[in-house]
Amino acid sequence: MTITPPLATLPDEDLMLLVARGIVREPAAELFNRHNRALFNYLAWLAQGNLGEAEDIAQSTWIRVLSRCGDYTPTAAFRTFLFQIARNLWLDARGSAWQRHSAPEETAPEASDEGDLSPDTVLALQQDSQRVHTALLTLPAQQREAVALRFFADMSVDDIATTVGVGFETVKSRLRYAFRHLRAELERAT
């Protein structure tokens, strides 16, 4: 008798192989729980804050992952595989007529746990957060994507390079130029 380890202890690649073999519900739910927040954050930055577009593409990404699971071979990290699908869907949507005619939605500020912070401190943090958000949106698309993958999806430079299909040094350059641009924008805003 073989004892199966709990799904939470399995690596992503093993979970995806279970999905490919037809054991879908629990392994797919575990993958979703592990990666959906980072995926959505990445897509929200790519879509420049258009949360509806980010939600649509995230949903399409998971549908594509599940519908193409038979093609999955673990040659790269599952996260890289997932984000490549999301990026390709975003690029497809970006060129569509729907994308050209839709306006970004207003984004509601996220609820936060301010704890024991004074109202003045909370206001200052919100203003700083808004300045950073505005500065990030001024980045060229390739630099914004690299920053989103690095800090909002917690990807390594190697994984970013694989995801976007460029070299390691190119990603490092994009991040370096992005930080230089952000520093200048934030200094200008203060």
Side-chain angles (χ1 to χ4, degrees):
M1 178 168 93
T2 348
I3 299 174
T4 308
L7 292 177
T9 63
L10 293 176
D12 295 338
E13 292 73 21
D14 289 350
L15 290 171
M16 190 60 190
L17 290 173
L18 286 172
V19 172
R21 290 185 191 125
I23 306 168
V24 177
R25 185 180 302 186
E26 292 82 10
E30 181 65 27
L31 288 167
F32 181 86
N33 289 335
R34 289 180 188 180
H35 299 289
N36 194 58
R37 183 182 192 107
L39 176 69
F40 177 78
N41 288 340
Y42 165 65
L43 291 167
W45 280 107
L46 283 182
Q48 296 183 325
N50 184 331
L51 301 182
E53 180 183 2
E55 288 172 5
D56 289 346
I57 296 172
Q59 182 179 19
S60 295
T61 299
W62 286 108
I63 290 169
R64 177 83 46 96
V65 165
L66 294 177
S67 67
R68 303 285 314 268
C69 63
D71 298 337
Y72 177 73
T73 54
T75 55
F78 171 77
R79 189 179 191 114
T80 302
F81 171 74
L82 177 70
F83 280 71
Q84 282 176 328
I85 291 171
R87 182 176 190 267
N88 289 338
L89 288 170
W90 175 75
L91 288 170
D92 289 347
R94 189 171 143 195
S96 72
W98 174 84
Q99 174 64 25
R100 286 190 296 272
H101 297 331
S102 62
E105 296 176 1
E106 288 293 319
T107 57
E110 289 185 24
S112 63
D113 180 18
E114 283 113 19
D116 296 330
L117 299 176
S118 71
D120 290 339
T121 303
V122 170
L123 178 62
L125 288 172
Q126 288 173 340
Q127 289 171 340
D128 286 346
S129 176
Q130 184 58 42
R131 279 195 294 272
V132 170
H133 182 265
T134 301
L136 281 167
L137 291 177
T138 66
L139 289 172
Q142 292 176 334
Q143 291 175 18
R144 186 174 58 250
E145 179 180 37
V147 169
L149 285 169
R150 181 71 183 105
F151 295 101
F152 301 110
D154 197 29
M155 280 191 166
S156 69
V157 174
D158 283 329
D159 287 343
I160 295 168
T162 302
T163 299
V164 301
V166 297
F168 179 87
E169 292 299 324
T170 301
V171 173
K172 283 177 50 179
S173 294
R174 287 177 183 175
L175 289 169
R176 185 175 55 253
Y177 288 127
F179 295 143
R180 186 178 301 151
H181 178 85
L182 289 171
R183 190 175 302 116
E185 283 294 313
L186 293 171
E187 286 174 358
R188 190 176 10 247
T190 56

